[in-house]
């Protein structure tokens, strides 16, 4: 497989042996010397720079260095051969930079990766986005297809809002994709949407040059803008500032406002304040105060998990990890309580966390009660087909504080499902 390099007054190729020689060379000057012997350079070519960029990509010490070198290398590749250099990501396999059939493993993202990234310009971001493949599918060209496959609504009920909601949910449930979008700075869309539009226009230009197909370019541009919007929305929720729960000032000398219903921590606190005055020694008071104490411990545990994680875990991810641990232990009610506490403390992050919980139930609770290597897996798949809104039902139960009832009832149905 050859890679064509383009420049002013020239068009040349680098063959697979050249690629392997550059990857295995030990020093940059070795690459320059080697390629200097096997190619006739024409004034104004970028081949020398391409050789060094490829060397730096293969021998980089960090993911930030790899992304910078990969983006630089793609600048020197002819538009029609851009698909020869791809950034392959997946939630099941390790990410790689693929050059033809040759894979260069990506370094792991660390808490320092973002700080060490170069200042990518608009073309850099879009060049990397256009190279991105998730589970083998081109993200900008095919995202609307593989994200919409998760939509459980029948065709007759699908509209633009439902499809966009499903696409955003797919991003929020796909850590590797969201992380990659964040790495290239696609999460910077503003209220006016200028950033997203700039991304869209640049991607449309690049894809048009690569494919010569205007329909494909327009579709890719729309996907690119949507991905920027989705990533920005999700990261705003994840990074939302802490919102302290203020004490109610509704208490008056002659009475109080009605005690709020529901399972929120604010409701528990107000009930506890009321009980402390009217029934200071009642069992109900002790129970409520115990809940408040537990809520404080939950928040402390979440914050400690996030602080001590090597991967720079967000509070949302720390909460999901805690919930998953409780599912593994069969503590469904406790997991629901953890979510309630988190949602009350960080309401801006709650929607993303809630959308992931049903999948956590599947992998960390149901899987432990099924023969997952054989009939259990078939039963789950059949049951999901028969209940296309099962994840939505799970979120609804979580918000209502009845996750345990929903999960146990669904598990019983799965056990009874014929395969």
């Amino acid at each position: 497989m050859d890679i064509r390099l383009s420049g002013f007054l020239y068009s040349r190729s680098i063959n697979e042996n050249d690629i392997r020689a550059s990857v295995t060379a030990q020093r940059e000057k070795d690459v320059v010397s080697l390629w200097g012997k096997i190619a006739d350079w024409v004034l104004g070519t970028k081949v020398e720079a391409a050789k060094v960029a490829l060397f730096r990509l293969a021998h980089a010490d960090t993911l930030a260095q790899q992304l910078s070198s990969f983006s630089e290398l793609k600048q020197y590749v002819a538009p029609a051969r851009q698909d020869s250099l791809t950034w392959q990501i997946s939630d099941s396999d390790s990410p790689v930079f693929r050059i033809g059939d040759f894979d260069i493993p990506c370094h792991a993202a660390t808490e320092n990766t973002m700080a060490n990234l170069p200042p990518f310009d608009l073309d850099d971001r879009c060049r990397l986005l256009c190279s991105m493949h998730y589970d083998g599918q081109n993200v900008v060209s095919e995202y609307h297809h593989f994200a919409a496959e998760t939509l459980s609504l029948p065709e007759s009920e699908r509209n633009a809002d439902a499809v966009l909601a499903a696409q955003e949910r797919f991003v929020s449930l796909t850590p590797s994709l969201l992380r990659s979008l964040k790495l290239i700075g696609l999460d910077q869309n503003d209220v006016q949407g200028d950033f997203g539009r700039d991304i869209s226009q640049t991607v449309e230009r690049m894809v048009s040059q690569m494919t010569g197909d205007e329909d494909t370019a327009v579709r890719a541009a729309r996907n690119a803008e949507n991905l920027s919007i989705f990533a920005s929305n999700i990261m705003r929720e994840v990074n939302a500032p802490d919102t302290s729960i203020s004490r109610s000032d509704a208490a008056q000398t002659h009475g109080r406002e009605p005690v709020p219903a529901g399972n929120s921590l604010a409701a528990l606190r107000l009930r506890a304040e009321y009980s402390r005055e009217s029934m200071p020694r009642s069992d109900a008071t002790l129970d409520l105060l115990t809940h408040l104490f537990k809520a404080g411990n939950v928040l402390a545990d979440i914050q400690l998990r996030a602080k001590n994680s090597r991967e720079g875990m967000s509070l949302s991810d720390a909460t999901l990890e805690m919930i998953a641990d409780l599912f593994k232990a069969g503590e469904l009610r406790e997991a629901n309580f953890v979510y309630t506490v988190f949602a009350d403390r960080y309401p801006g992050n709650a929607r993303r966390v809630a959308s992931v919980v049903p999948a956590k139930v599947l992998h960390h609770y149901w899987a432990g009660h099924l023969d997952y290597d054989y009939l259990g897996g078939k039963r789950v798949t059949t049951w999901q087909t028969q209940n296309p809104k099962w994840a939505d039902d799970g979120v609804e139960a979580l918000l209502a504080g009845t996750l345990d009832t929903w999960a146990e009832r669904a598990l019983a149905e799965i056990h009874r499902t014929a395969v």
Side-chain angles (χ1 to χ4, degrees):
M1 190 280 307
D2 293 351
I3 294 179
R4 295 195 62 79
L5 302 172
S6 62
F8 181 63
L9 296 179
Y10 80 97
S11 179
R12 298 194 62 80
S13 297
I14 300 172
N15 63 38
E16 190 166 352
N17 289 334
D18 299 337
I19 295 171
R20 294 184 183 277
S22 296
V23 170
T24 56
Q26 297 303 307
R27 296 172 300 172
E28 287 183 18
K29 67 178 184 180
D30 293 339
V31 183
V32 174
S33 175
L34 175 62
W35 281 19
K37 294 177 181 178
I38 62 176
D40 295 324
W41 304 119
V42 178
L43 183 63
T45 69
K46 299 295 184 180
V47 175
E48 290 290 322
K51 293 183 296 185
V52 174
L54 182 55
F55 174 88
R56 289 174 177 168
L57 170 63
H59 293 272
D61 295 321
T62 67
L63 178 58
Q65 293 171 357
Q66 286 184 312
L67 286 169
S68 177
S69 298
F70 188 66
S71 177
E72 181 186 357
L73 179 60
K74 285 183 68 66
Q75 292 182 49
Y76 311 132
V77 176
R81 300 304 301 270
Q82 284 285 323
D83 58 357
S84 298
L85 282 78
T86 59
W87 180 14
Q88 301 283 337
I89 61 175
S90 172
D91 284 309
S92 55
D93 296 315
S94 299
V96 298
F97 295 106
R98 181 164 295 164
I99 303 176
D101 297 326
F102 195 92
D103 288 349
I104 299 175
C106 296
H107 287 297
T110 68
E111 57 186 13
N112 296 321
T113 298
M114 294 301 299
N116 293 327
L117 284 172
F120 289 137
D121 61 20
L122 189 63
D123 276 17
D124 287 326
R125 299 182 202 279
C126 293
R127 199 176 293 114
L128 288 168
L129 177 61
C130 289
S131 76
M132 199 181 294
H133 284 58
Y134 177 76
D135 280 349
Q137 300 185 76
N138 185 291
V139 172
V140 291
S141 299
E142 302 296 330
Y143 181 73
H144 59 293
H145 285 312
F146 61 80
E149 289 175 0
T150 64
L151 191 62
S152 57
L153 292 174
E155 289 289 343
S156 59
E157 297 181 26
R158 295 191 180 193
N159 54 42
D161 289 340
V163 171
L164 286 174
Q167 291 182 357
E168 181 168 354
R169 186 175 184 182
F170 185 92
V171 175
S172 71
L173 292 172
T174 313
S176 64
L177 179 58
L178 178 60
R179 185 185 308 113
S180 299
L181 296 175
K182 187 171 184 291
L183 283 170
I184 64 175
L186 217 69
D187 58 335
Q188 299 179 28
N189 193 50
D190 48 23
V191 176
Q192 290 77 25
D194 294 338
F195 179 83
R197 281 191 291 274
D198 290 342
I199 290 289
S200 173
Q201 293 169 3
T202 306
V203 166
E204 182 173 0
R205 168 175 56 81
M206 288 183 173
V207 174
S208 178
Q209 292 172 346
M210 286 188 281
T211 66
D213 187 329
E214 289 304 315
D215 289 340
T216 299
V218 169
R219 179 73 262 185
R222 192 174 306 141
N223 284 338
E225 183 173 9
N226 286 341
L227 285 165
S228 178
I229 293 170
F230 300 153
S232 301
N233 289 345
I234 294 166
M235 294 313 301
R236 267 195 295 272
E237 291 182 6
V238 170
N239 297 323
D242 295 354
T243 52
S244 300
I245 304 167
S246 60
R247 294 185 57 167
S248 172
D249 59 359
Q252 303 295 331
T253 304
H254 300 292
R256 295 176 177 272
E257 289 185 352
V259 175
N263 295 318
S264 74
L265 188 56
L268 289 173
R269 177 175 283 107
L270 193 51
R271 286 195 183 101
E273 291 172 354
Y274 180 80
S275 298
R276 193 176 297 120
E277 295 181 4
S278 61
M279 301 178 296
R281 296 184 180 278
S282 70
D283 291 340
T285 302
L286 293 174
D287 182 61
L288 289 168
L289 292 175
T290 299
H291 271 66
L292 290 173
F293 179 74
K294 286 173 59 180
N297 287 342
V298 165
L299 289 173
D301 192 349
I302 290 171
Q303 292 163 357
L304 190 63
R305 283 173 183 251
K307 180 180 179 181
N308 292 340
S309 67
R310 294 182 178 178
E311 302 82 7
M313 186 183 292
S314 68
L315 292 172
S316 297
D317 289 337
T319 301
L320 288 168
E321 181 184 79
M322 188 174 180
I323 287 173
D325 289 343
L326 289 168
F327 286 156
K328 293 173 186 176
E331 299 289 347
L332 295 170
R333 288 189 180 182
E334 290 296 319
N336 206 143
F337 179 74
V338 167
Y339 171 78
T340 299
V341 172
F342 174 81
D344 203 90
R345 185 70 169 86
Y346 304 104
N349 306 52
R351 183 169 67 89
R352 172 182 173 254
V353 171
S355 69
V356 182
V357 167
K360 297 289 186 183
V361 174
L362 168 61
H363 295 295
H364 301 296
Y365 183 69
W366 291 341
H369 291 75
L370 295 166
D371 177 11
Y372 225 74
D373 292 332
Y374 184 47
L375 292 180
K378 294 182 178 180
R379 287 195 175 97
V380 169
T381 302
T382 302
W383 178 83
Q384 288 175 316
T385 302
Q386 296 171 351
N387 297 271
K389 296 184 179 181
W390 70 274
D392 296 331
D393 293 340
V395 171
E396 185 177 339
L398 177 72
L399 300 180
T402 58
L403 184 70
D404 58 326
T405 302
W406 169 79
E408 294 290 3
R409 182 174 63 246
L411 180 60
E413 292 175 0
I414 293 170
H415 275 300
R416 294 194 299 268
T417 298
V419 292

